[in-house]
């Protein structure tokens, strides 16, 4: 059973471009979480999605950031008009059920975004 | 939003020392607490999920306890080794992690 797959692993974008980060959850997992790790900081929650639904996006910046998890295909974290401050590692995690059930979430290896 | 607090922020111990750190959380409406281990340049790895007051879990030299009435969980490492060096994270069921405790074990 393949783990959580994130791609690209490394992405370089110029200021003002768009960045798209993809996350394919583990087989059978319908819950996806996105996190951001800024330099010298911890793991910050961004958004929690179920298939076709955004459950909690309270950690997402109000502008330029969006996330989706369509019925088919990977979850996408989209950052429009990137700025240098968006440079970070973005981690995705998946689980088969919600956190209230005590299910472990499994992390991908992360996508490193560098804005130049 | 459920805030978890972890202490200490960082810890330096000698190889062979035993150590412990704390995750504090609001004690109302508890469902589950998660502990993760996060090595530099890797992805976080699950250690324990704890759901019941009084739970004790163990994996090798690492163990954890849970007190939901007073809102804390302890993570213990017995006989620390350099490979235990990592950041240890906790989160409640909403999967918002605390700032972590960064452990460095010196040979």
């Amino acid at each position: 059973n393949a783990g959580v797959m994130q791609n690209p692993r490394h992405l370089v974008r110029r200021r003002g471009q768009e960045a798209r980060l993809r996350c394919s959850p583990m087989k059978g997992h319908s819950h996806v979480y996105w996190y951001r790790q800024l330099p010298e900081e911890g793991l910050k929650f961004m958004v929690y999605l179920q298939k076709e639904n955004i459950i909690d996006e309270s950690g997402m910046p109000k502008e330029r950031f969006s996330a989706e998890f369509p019925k088919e295909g990977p979850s996408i974290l989209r950052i429009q008009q990137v700025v240098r401050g968006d440079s970070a590692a973005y981690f995705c995690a998946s689980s088969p059920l919600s956190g209230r059930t005590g299910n472990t979430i499994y992390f991908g290896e992360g996508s490193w975004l560098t804005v130049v | 939003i459920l805030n978890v607090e972890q202490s200490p922020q960082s810890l330096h111990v000698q190889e062979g020392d035993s150590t412990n750190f704390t995750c504090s959380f609001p004690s109302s409406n508890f469902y589950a607490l998660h502990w993760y281990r996060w090595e530099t340049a890797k992805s976080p790895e699950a250690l324990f999920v704890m759901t019941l007051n009084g739970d004790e879990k163990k994996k090798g030299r690492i163990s954890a306890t849970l007190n939901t009435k007073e809102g804390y969980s302890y993570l213990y490492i017995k006989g620390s080794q350099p490979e235990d060096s990592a950041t240890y994270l906790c989160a409640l069921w909403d999967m918002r992690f605390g700032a972590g405790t960064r452990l460095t074990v010196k040979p």
Side-chain angles (χ1 to χ4, degrees), chain B residues 3-89:
Chain B
N3 292 317
V4 295
E5 294 187 3
Q6 293 189 247
S7 61
Q9 187 174 359
S10 66
L11 202 50
H12 295 255
V13 302
Q14 289 294 135
E15 182 174 355
D17 287 351
S18 292
T19 187
N20 66 86
F21 20 94
T22 307
C23 175
S24 302
F25 53 87
S27 55
S28 58
N29 297 323
F30 179 87
Y31 290 93
L33 181 132
H34 299 254
W35 279 103
Y36 279 75
R37 180 172 180 274
W38 190 18
E39 287 184 73
T40 303
K42 294 188 178 179
S43 53
E45 176 188 340
L47 286 173
F48 305 114
V49 180
M50 311 185 78
T51 55
L52 297 175
N53 185 43
D55 251 356
E56 287 190 34
K57 298 260 174 115
K58 188 175 181 183
K59 185 185 286 189
R61 294 179 291 99
I62 304 176
S63 60
T65 61
L66 177 67
N67 185 323
T68 60
K69 295 186 189 303
E70 295 184 33
Y72 63 85
S73 175
Y74 292 142
L75 190 78
Y76 301 90
I77 302 179
K78 185 178 178 182
S80 302
Q81 299 296 308
E83 57 265 31
D84 295 329
S85 297
T87 296
Y88 292 83
L89 301 167

Side-chain angles (χ1 to χ4, degrees), chain A residues 15-30:
Chain A
R15 280 178 293 169
Q17 289 185 318
E18 179 179 286
R20 283 191 183 219
L21 308 176
R22 288 176 290 279
C23 170
S24 297
M26 288 177 72
K27 187 176 180 182
H29 288 195
S30 58

